[in-house]
Each structure stands twice: as C-alpha cells, then as structure tokens.
Amino acid sequence: MADFDAIVVGAGCAGSVAAYELAKVGKSVLLVERGNYAGAKNMTGGRIYSHSLKKVFPHFEEEAPLERRIVRERISLLAPDGNTTIDFSSDEMLKEGQDSYSVLRGPFDQWLASKAEEAGAEAVYGIAVDSLLKDASGKVTGVSAAGDEITANAVLLCDGVNSLLTADAVGFERPAPHTMAVGIKQVIKLPASVITDRILAASDKDGAAWLFAGDATHGHIGGGFMYTNCDSISLGLVATISDLMSNAETPIYQMLEDFKRHPAVAPLIKGGEVVEHSGHMVPEGGLNMMPELVGEGVLLAGESAMMCVNLGYQVRGMDYAVAAGQLAGIAAAQALDAGDTSKAGLAGYVQALEESFVLKDLRQFSRFPHFMESTKRIFNEYPALARDVMNRMFICDGSPVPPMRKSMMPMIKEVGIMNVIKDARGGLKAL
Ligand SMILES: Cc1cc2nc3c(=O)[nH]c(=O)nc-3n(C[C@H](O)[C@H](O)[C@H](O)COP(=O)(O)OP(=O)(O)OC[C@H]3O[C@@H](n4cnc5c(N)ncnc54)[C@H](O)[C@@H]3O)c2cc1C
C-alpha cells in the first residue's frame, strides 16, 4: 500500500490548491515544498485575477492577505525622453469575478498552503523532491526527497517553470531561450498614504497596475511593471532571454536601475526603501512549449506545464495556476476513487482543462509570442513615434503651426506606413 493517496510537489498557487482539493474530499496528501515556507521561493509581478480563486474559496476576500484592489490600469510607451500613457479605470473591472488584487507571494502563498493544511494535507517545507520513483512499467509511484522514498498512487507536479522533474515524468525537453524570459523585481517600501496619493487613488485599499514597453528594457523585447501593495510598490522588468543574450549591451539589473531613474517612474518610488529583490524565469512560449499534461501516475499543473501568458498589457499565470491546480486535484481524486491513476485514468484532467478558460486562452494567444518576437518596433520605434506625435500636439513655441497631416506624415513615414499597418493587423490577429 502506498504511503499517501497523492503527493503534490511545490506549494505555489497550483500546488496548494491541488492539495486542498484532494484533502477536502478525504484523500491523504503530502505537499512537499523546497522553500523553508510557502512563498519563500515564489515570485510574481504581481496581480491576481480573482475569478479562479473565487471558485476555490468563495469568500477569499475576507481572509486572504490581499494587498490592494486594482482600480486603475496604466500602460505606457516609454521613450528615453518621453512617456505616453493610457490611464484606464472602469466600474466593470471592479465587479465580482472581474476584479483583481495585488499580492505579495510570501504572505499569499502561506495563506494558500494553510488552507490545504487545514483541509488535512500534510505539508513539509525546506525539502526538495530530487527525483521520481517509478515501477517496472514506468508508472510514477512516488518521489525521492532528502534520501527518503515516499510512495503515492498519484503524483502532481506543481513545481513551477524551472521543473527538474517534468523531463522524467512526461519526457519534456528543456525550453529554448527564445521561449523563456527572465523577470526581476524589487519591493520598495513607502507609507500607504504616499502610495495612494501618488497613484491618485481614493483610498489606501485601492491600487494600480502599470505596464511599460520601450525604454524600460532599453528597447528590447519585454517590459516593465509596477503594482501597488498596501505599503510598498512592486517594480520590475521582464525580458526575453535570447534577446538579452544576443543583443543587449546592458545587463538586466542595470536596466532596472535605469528604469527606476526614468522620469515616469522616479517620482513614484522617491524616498522608498528597497526591502526585497528577486529574480525568476517566465515561460513566454505559451501553448507551443507546453509538455504533455498527464503521464502514467503523474500530472502537471501551473507553470510546470508552462501555463502563463504575457501580452505586454497583461501578465497572467496565477489565475491559470489556481484553476489548473483545482482541476488537477479534482481529477486526481476521481482517478483515485476509480482505482486507476494510469495516464488513461487521469485523462479527465486534460478534458477538464480543454473545457476551461486555461487551455482556451493559451490556444487563443498561441501566436502572440511570435508576434512579439518579430515586432521589435513595439519596443523602440513606437514609443518614439508616440512621443513625437504628442510633442507635435502639445508644444507651442510661437512659431506658425503646420497642418497636422504635414507634420505627422514624416514621423509615420520614418517607421513606415506599411509597417504600422502590418503590425496593427499582426497584433489583432495574434490577440
Ligand atoms: C516577474 C514576474 C511577473 C509576473 N507577474 C504576474 C502577474 O502580475 N500576474 C500573474 O497572474 N502572474 C504573474 N506572473 C506569473 C506567475 O507568478 C506564475 O505563473 C505563478 O506563480 C505560477 O504558479 P505555480 O504554482 O505554477 O508555480 P510557482 O509559484 O513557481 O510554485 C512552484 C513551487 O514549487 C516549488 N518547487 C520547485 N521545485 C521543487 C522541488 N523539486 N521540490 C519541492 N518543491 C519544489 C517552488 O519552490 C515553488 O514554491 C509573473 C511571473 C514573474 C516571474
């Protein structure tokens, strides 16, 4: 008899939710996390869209350590000497199930893991799973961790983007550098009221999400992000690894320092103290880099299965991880009840994902990574064009004003009218 019904590897968004779902229906579950506590090694920008969390914990707003509700969206095209920003807010984005919150993974992941433990899951921290155990037929039968062999009827790999176990589980090859980005982030402490004033919010509970393209990454593929927490600001960059390796003269940590000095950003963080610095990989290849989601005795949820989307104006991974964790937990429990945790017995998970927004979204955005990679103008020429157009509109120096068409056309011609049309069409097709 196996030691546990299920072993869940990784106590991030996917793992803790999967463990919770299994424990809730009475399965014996071991949740193994290599960090000294849940959230110790996890990173996000970060804002979580609430819809999938609500399906697992209908009253999460009352107990989860949320930072601020996002009431304001900003997106900026940054030129070195200019900034064109769209500032958006609406009642729609505040409606239940459409709302989103800034979170810090330390407290947030500890809360998620505590829900799994309260439901009956056994959690161990500070121990990494080194390898998978398999029987003679190749079916996964447990894990080896810290010299111990622990068996289970099902193993759920929720061990994130840099999983060292998926290759053995489902034969997944390491992703290519052009499908992976690196993210770095600082948490900058400031008084709550200062943050509220600086983002023009009505109360200390209201927050902003702000994404930047262009000079944030020195014109390289990627962008900057800023999320307001209760009494800190999360500020960082995401940049594609292959582009950084082959084209960038500036290392990403220096890009972050330059980003912090940009006139669009510096006033926001002025007087703040950096209290946390982190780095992490981001899977950007989407559906095209997704491994098989189930194997014999094993299934994958969250970023171990590359469930993440970076659209430039939106970064999502946590709501996919929560939803996939829930579906994985439910499917594993059903397979355990049926006494069949073979690949065929676990196939209900893939079916459930196919019917959910997770695989539908990843399929929908599967062309976007290629669009970003092949449209570098987004990161240099368009921010400069936006700056020039705005200069033309807003600067009056006493010289006669030429007709708008006459002054705008040379600017657009510099980028190329056909390029603008092609990129707009390409972007619409990829979204
Ligand atoms: C810079 C950046 C910005 C982002 N911004 C956002 C955002 O604003 N909104 C959003 O929704 N998403 C964002 N994401 C993506 C999001 O953070 C991830 O998609 C999400 O955290 C994935 O959750 P997960 O549970 O799959 O993996 P993770 O949260 O990475 O959890 C995996 C866990 O497994 C553990 N682990 C790994 N290997 C082992 C092992 N061998 N043994 C035991 N434990 C192990 C790890 O320690 C970790 O705790 C961002 C990501 C980055 C890097």
Side-chain angles (χ1 to χ4, degrees), residues 1-8 28-30 133 139-143 149-156 297 336 341:
M1 193 180 138
D3 299 322
F4 289 89
D5 290 326
I7 294 173
V8 179
S28 61
V29 189
L30 179 66
L133 305 177
K139 181 175 189 253
V140 175
T141 55
V143 301
E149 294 198 341
I150 315 158
T151 57
N153 293 316
V155 173
L156 286 75
L336 286 163
T341 54

Side-chain angles (χ1 to χ4, degrees), residues 9-14 32-34 41-47 105 127-129 158-160 165 183 225 227 238 280-282 301-303 308 315-319 321:
V9 185
C13 295
V32 190
E33 166 56 46
R34 67 180 171 163
K41 294 198 176 278
N42 308 65
M43 183 180 167
T44 193
R47 163 243 294 267
R105 292 296 294 271
I127 290 181
V129 168
C158 304
D159 48 341
L165 304 170
F225 60 83
Y227 298 94
V238 174
H280 209 275
M281 288 204 286
V282 188
E303 276 195 356
C308 187
V315 185
R316 287 174 66 185
M318 287 189 285
D319 59 331

Side-chain angles (χ1 to χ4, degrees), residues 101-322:
Y101 298 84
S102 54
V103 289
L104 291 166
R105 292 296 294 271
F108 184 74
D109 285 24
Q110 285 180 73
W111 170 76
L112 263 187
S114 76
K115 299 303 288 180
E117 288 185 71
E118 277 167 27
E122 204 173 303
V124 287
Y125 300 102
I127 290 181
V129 168
D130 301 314
S131 60
L132 299 173
L133 305 177
K134 289 184 177 178
D135 65 15
S137 71
K139 181 175 189 253
V140 175
T141 55
V143 301
S144 168
D148 281 337
E149 294 198 341
I150 315 158
T151 57
N153 293 316
V155 173
L156 286 75
L157 293 185
C158 304
D159 48 341
V161 59
N162 202 18
S163 172
L164 301 176
L165 304 170
T166 50
D168 191 27
V170 292
F172 181 54
E173 281 179 25
R174 302 288 292 163
H178 75 278
T179 63
M180 298 296 282
V182 60
I184 59 166
K185 175 177 112 170
Q186 290 185 350
V187 177
I188 301 169
K189 206 162 172 55
L190 278 165
S193 60
V194 170
I195 294 171
T196 304
D197 292 346
R198 286 183 185 175
I199 58 160
L200 307 176
S203 94
D204 291 352
K205 292 192 165 128
D206 293 343
W210 195 343
L211 297 180
F212 304 81
D215 195 52
T217 47
H218 288 203
H220 292 282
I221 303 170
F225 60 83
M226 195 259 346
Y227 298 94
T228 54
N229 307 311
C230 289
D231 58 1
S232 64
I233 283 177
S234 295
L235 186 79
L237 300 176
V238 174
T240 304
I241 291 175
S242 58
D243 190 34
L244 280 183
M245 284 190 330
S246 50
N247 301 320
E249 283 165 7
T250 313
I252 191 161
Y253 56 84
Q254 183 57 48
M255 283 181 190
L256 180 59
E257 289 309 312
D258 296 344
F259 180 48
K260 285 165 67 181
R261 279 195 288 268
H262 193 284
V265 175
L268 270 169
I269 55 170
K270 190 177 162 201
E273 182 198 353
V274 177
V275 291
E276 195 183 302
H277 192 112
S278 52
H280 209 275
M281 288 204 286
V282 188
E284 291 203 324
L287 193 74
N288 304 324
M289 68 189 297
M290 188 172 267
E292 269 203 271
L293 298 168
V294 294
E296 298 293 337
V298 66
L299 44 77
L300 279 59
E303 276 195 356
S304 60
M306 308 292 157
M307 294 171 184
C308 187
V309 161
N310 181 0
L311 300 177
Y313 59 87
Q314 204 180 59
V315 185
R316 287 174 66 185
M318 287 189 285
D319 59 331
Y320 294 134
V322 167

